[in-house]
Amino acid sequence: MPGPGYAYFGSEEEQNVLDVLRRWRETRETFGALPPASQIDRFETEVAARFGTPYCVAVNSGTSALLTALAALGVGPGDEVVVPGYMFVASLAAIVYSGATPVLAEIDESFTLDVEDVRRRLTPRTRAIMVVHMLGAPSAMDALTALAREHGVAVIEDVAQACGATYRGRLLGTWGAAGAFSLNPFKVVTAGEGGFVLTSDARIHQRAFSFHDHGFLPGKPEGGDGDLLFGLNLHMTEFGAAVARAQFGKLEEILDRTREVKRAFVERVPQRPGVRRRTLHDADGECGTLAVYVFADATAARAVADELGATVLGESPKHNYARIPALPALTSAEHPSAPFRPALAPEAAAGYRPGSLPRTDDLLGRSVAVAIGLSDAYLGAGFGVTVRSTEQEIELAASRFRAALDRALG
């Protein structure tokens, strides 16, 4: 069970998928366009209403959502986008394929962007700050949006790991100019694969829609008011939308249960010297999908992770900038790591090599994540509990964790 939404698959998802098949069967002899009110249309309408935004564009993945958001904002060659060194590689890839240059910034003890380090990395070429809400919890959105306004740059929220989370009562994905979401199996809710973009700006919506659908304007007219774009085909499928609609109908139930299980687990692991829980900018607003423990000593963190069959967070190959060799390879003249764009200047590699973000390196090297409903060994969460765990199972997992702490910390 990769993400908590998996545990809630039921008749609602099945019925929606069957509705797609039935509609296709009933219209297979017709000519022209399929009838309105597709699953995708309904998904976009329902999600926009759920988040209180006027516009939602459904796409085929979280990566496509990020790329679509960048295109909608007009980010491109010559621009810089500040992004945390702890993210998922899709955040970087979307920036790279937009033609812009990723500028890595440190994280703080929330494992999200360090606001003051972002400030230091802003330049006249900065076009956007990509805020990544890592491990189910919100970034410091008031400070980051204030900083962006001060410097006249856009905020793009990568909400892939934090769907349904809030910051000070406001849903993530609605703070910035655009919010990008993923619905893959390792997320709070899932469509199997898919994603979506939220925005409150009509022009951003038009550009996002046109980019994701061959340049068509919203509603599919070929002409009218709006920016002319060569779009791609980044559609969500009807089947994906069918599953996603059912999952979103259960989002509050899923989050309530995930948070309940997390509370039950962390209450069974008392605070002690040598380790503490991750800083949360808004403890009430997080999803609760992971319980992150920060150790004073990297050796102790590794010992606990090894005993539990997990890894420290720094060992993830696709979440830690220092373990993404394609980053410094962006400067390779002979074999640049991003097709369709020229290599970056050689001096750019200095900001991408291991050791470029010492605070991020330090935090990731001495931190362990316990799965709470989200099981993802690649992320480092290879040990923990699920949203279906009983009180006895939660106690057993907590007991194992406490015992590992005892042996590592004495």
Side-chain angles (χ1 to χ4, degrees):
M1 187 183 68
Y6 254 58
Y8 284 80
F9 276 134
S11 59
E12 299 87 355
E13 289 82 358
E14 181 180 13
Q15 185 59 52
N16 282 0
V17 170
L18 290 175
D19 284 346
V20 173
L21 293 172
R22 183 161 44 252
R23 184 168 63 89
W24 286 357
R25 185 173 62 246
E26 291 171 352
T27 59
R28 63 188 173 185
E29 302 298 336
T30 62
F31 292 91
L34 291 173
S38 70
Q39 292 285 343
I40 295 172
D41 293 336
R42 283 182 278 180
F43 172 79
E44 290 177 336
T45 299
E46 291 162 6
V47 169
R50 169 66 178 78
F51 282 85
T53 60
Y55 306 112
C56 172
V57 177
V59 293
N60 57 12
S61 71
T63 308
S64 293
L66 289 166
L67 187 60
T68 297
L70 289 161
L73 288 165
V75 175
D79 295 332
E80 294 178 349
V81 179
V82 179
V83 61
Y86 184 52
M87 35 62 234
F88 180 61
V89 68
S91 306
L92 299 174
I95 296 168
V96 167
Y97 282 110
S98 77
T101 300
V103 175
L104 301 181
E106 297 271 22
I107 59 172
D108 61 22
E109 295 192 2
S110 70
F111 293 81
T112 63
L113 274 172
D114 181 315
V115 179
E116 290 310 309
D117 194 58
V118 173
R119 184 185 299 277
R120 288 189 287 269
R121 295 176 191 273
L122 297 176
T123 75
R125 293 194 300 276
T126 305
R127 186 66 179 275
I129 301 169
M130 184 176 286
V131 179
V132 185
H133 303 296
M134 284 297 292
L135 308 176
S139 308
M141 291 311 298
D142 49 0
L144 286 164
T145 52
L147 177 62
R149 284 194 300 271
E150 177 186 342
H151 289 269
V153 302
V155 169
I156 299 171
E157 293 179 75
D158 181 343
V159 203
Q161 296 189 15
C163 182
T166 60
Y167 180 74
R168 298 191 174 180
R170 182 173 171 180
L171 283 158
L172 301 185
T174 67
W175 283 82
F181 293 73
S182 172
L183 296 169
N184 83 11
F186 295 94
K187 302 303 183 282
V188 177
V189 289
T190 182
E193 189 57 90
F196 59 95
V197 179
L198 296 179
T199 185
S200 294
D201 185 282
R203 181 171 179 269
I204 293 172
H205 170 247
Q206 179 263 303
R207 288 179 59 88
F209 188 94
S210 296
F211 184 76
H212 105 294
D213 190 7
H214 296 298
F216 283 106
L217 296 172
K220 297 287 243 182
E222 299 212 25
D225 294 333
D227 295 347
L228 294 174
L229 295 179
F230 274 109
L232 301 175
N233 179 1
L234 305 178
H235 289 249
M236 178 180 280
T237 70
E238 279 286 278
F239 289 121
V243 174
R245 287 186 60 232
Q247 287 268 292
F248 263 90
K250 306 170 186 179
L251 179 59
E252 294 306 322
E253 180 184 0
I254 291 169
L255 287 172
D256 286 347
R257 176 57 181 166
T258 305
R259 291 162 176 161
E260 178 185 6
V261 172
K262 181 176 180 180
R263 285 193 296 270
F265 180 87
V266 299
E267 286 170 359
R268 289 169 164 82
V269 183
Q271 299 276 22
R272 59 179 296 168
V275 63
R276 56 185 171 72
R277 292 200 301 273
R278 163 199 192 183
T279 297
L280 293 171
H281 290 300
D282 185 341
D284 293 332
E286 69 149 343
C287 293
T289 46
L290 296 152
V292 181
Y293 289 84
V294 183
F295 290 76
D297 178 72
T299 301
R302 192 173 299 275
V304 169
D306 288 346
E307 181 168 341
L308 299 175
T311 60
V312 296
L313 293 181
E315 292 182 0
S316 172
K318 295 290 186 182
H319 295 90
N320 177 4
Y321 83 98
R323 294 175 66 88
I324 303 176
L327 256 176
L330 286 170
T331 65
S332 171
E334 293 184 0
H335 300 288
S337 53
F340 314 124
R341 62 168 293 164
L344 294 177
E347 56 268 24
Y352 297 149
R353 295 192 184 104
S356 300
L357 300 175
R359 186 178 186 191
T360 298
D361 298 338
D362 174 56
L363 280 168
L364 296 180
R366 52 188 178 88
S367 298
V368 175
V370 176
I372 309 288
L374 188 155
S375 176
D376 185 354
Y378 205 76
L379 182 64
F383 164 83
V385 293
T386 78
V387 289
R388 297 301 191 198
S389 292
T390 64
E391 288 291 314
Q392 183 179 10
E393 290 166 339
I394 295 170
E395 172 55 38
L396 179 61
S399 177
R400 283 189 61 196
F401 190 65
R402 292 194 304 267
L405 293 179
D406 289 341
R407 281 185 278 275
L409 299 175

